Amino acid sequence: MTNKKYRTPDGYTADIAVFTIVTEDSKPFTPPIMSLNIMLIKRAEFTLEGSKNVEAGKWALPGGFVQPDEDAYEAASRELTEETGIEGIHIKQFGVYDKPGRDPRGWIISNAHYAIVPEHHLLKRKASDDADQVELFNVDDVLQYELAFDHKTIIEDAVAVIKKEILQTTAAKNFLPAEFTYSELQAVLSTVTTDPAILNEQSFARKIKALPFIELVEGKTTQRTSKKATKLYKFNELEVVKPIYTARYN
C-alpha cells in the first residue's frame, strides 16, 4: 500500500563530472605546463521527442534520469555513453544534491559521480542524445560560465574531491610517462595545488628523493625538461599513507 502521508520526488538523476589533465604547452628542454580539465555537454534545444529542452543551450555535466530497473551508478555509466560516447571508465559516487529549486522541472534529486582519466580515454567523445556538443574545458574557466541547473556547485565539490585524490594517492602516475622527471610530476600536481612545498622547484627536487613510493631509475637521464641531463624516477608498488606529498619523510 502506498503511504500518501509522504510525497515522493518528481525525479532521480545521475550526473557525471569527468576530469582529465591536459598539456597546455610543451617545449623542448622545458617542463610542461598542464591544467585540470572537465568534460561538459551543451544541452540540445529540443529533446528526442521534439519538445523544448530544459536549460537548452547551456553547458552542463553529462547525466540523466535513473530508470526504475537500475541504480544511480548504472544510470551514470549509461548516460555518459549515450550523451558523449565515452564508456569503460571507472566512476565513483561523491555527493547527493537535493536543494529545493535546483531543477525547474520539480523536486529532482541528483546523485553525482566523478572520474579522472588520461586524456586519450576521451579522444573519441561524440555528442548524441540530449547533447549538441561535448568538449573539454579548463576548470578555472568553466566555473565562470553560466552552467545548467546547480552544476557549478557540483563541479566545485567534484574539484575538491579530485584535488584530494591526486594529492593523497598515486593517481598522478596516470598522467606521466612510466619514467619521469621531478618537474613532470610537479607539473601534474600543480594543476590541483598552490602548496609552496610542491611548487617550489628546489624544494620539490629535494622532496622527491625522500618519497618512499617513488624511486630513482638507476643509470638513466633525460633532457625532456632541461638542457642539462635530468634524473628519471618511477613509482614503485609501495602502499602509501595519506597525505603523501606534503608529509615529512626522513
Side-chain angles (χ1 to χ4, degrees), residues 48-115:
L48 295 177
E49 293 75 28
S51 58
K52 182 70 175 179
N53 207 2
V54 178
E55 302 280 52
K58 291 184 179 180
W59 290 99
L61 296 169
F65 285 94
V66 180
Q67 301 301 317
D69 60 347
E70 62 185 358
D71 60 27
Y73 180 89
E74 292 168 334
S77 298
R78 174 181 54 76
E79 288 286 346
L80 184 63
T81 301
E82 289 178 357
E83 294 188 339
T84 72
I86 301 301
E87 57 186 345
I89 64 174
H90 180 59
I91 61 175
K92 301 177 184 178
Q93 191 272 351
F94 73 91
V96 173
Y97 294 81
D98 58 2
K99 186 176 181 179
R102 64 172 298 273
D103 192 311
R105 293 169 293 191
W107 182 18
I108 309 294
I109 297 174
S110 178
N111 198 323
H113 302 72
Y114 80 96

Side-chain angles (χ1 to χ4, degrees), residues 17-21 36 90 114-118 162 165-166 171 174-175:
V18 179
F19 295 89
T20 190
I21 293 176
L36 182 66
H90 180 59
Y114 80 96
I116 181 163
V117 297
I162 288 296
E165 181 156 325
I166 292 178
N174 295 319
F175 306 95

Side-chain angles (χ1 to χ4, degrees), residues 10-161:
D10 298 315
Y12 179 36
T13 62
D15 292 309
I16 317 98
V18 179
F19 295 89
T20 190
I21 293 176
V22 304
T23 300
E24 301 282 359
D25 190 20
S26 181
K27 298 177 181 177
F29 314 120
T30 305
I33 298 174
M34 296 180 163
S35 66
L36 182 66
N37 278 228
I38 187 169
M39 184 175 67
L40 297 181
I41 64 162
K42 190 172 186 180
R43 290 180 62 82
E45 290 294 327
F46 299 94
T47 67
L48 295 177
E49 293 75 28
S51 58
K52 182 70 175 179
N53 207 2
V54 178
E55 302 280 52
K58 291 184 179 180
W59 290 99
L61 296 169
F65 285 94
V66 180
Q67 301 301 317
D69 60 347
E70 62 185 358
D71 60 27
Y73 180 89
E74 292 168 334
S77 298
R78 174 181 54 76
E79 288 286 346
L80 184 63
T81 301
E82 289 178 357
E83 294 188 339
T84 72
I86 301 301
E87 57 186 345
I89 64 174
H90 180 59
I91 61 175
K92 301 177 184 178
Q93 191 272 351
F94 73 91
V96 173
Y97 294 81
D98 58 2
K99 186 176 181 179
R102 64 172 298 273
D103 192 311
R105 293 169 293 191
W107 182 18
I108 309 294
I109 297 174
S110 178
N111 198 323
H113 302 72
Y114 80 96
I116 181 163
V117 297
E119 187 180 6
H120 67 81
H121 284 296
L122 307 179
L123 293 179
K124 294 183 179 180
R125 61 186 183 273
K126 183 178 180 181
S128 61
D129 199 35
D130 285 337
D132 264 351
Q133 299 177 47
V134 55
E135 301 290 347
L136 292 179
F137 294 91
N138 183 297
V139 166
D140 292 335
D141 294 337
V142 84
L143 290 175
Q144 309 305 314
Y145 297 171
E146 182 183 358
L147 303 175
F149 308 110
D150 57 352
H151 287 188
K152 179 179 179 181
T153 298
I154 297 176
I155 292 170
E156 288 173 336
D157 292 347
V159 168
V161 173

Side-chain angles (χ1 to χ4, degrees), residues 208-233:
I208 195 173
K209 298 174 183 177
L211 297 174
F213 51 90
I214 290 175
E215 59 188 53
L216 180 68
V217 179
E218 296 290 348
K220 295 181 70 173
T221 60
T222 184
Q223 290 182 294
R224 284 199 305 263
T225 58
S226 173
K227 290 184 178 180
K228 181 180 177 181
T230 305
K231 293 179 180 179
L232 286 165
Y233 297 87

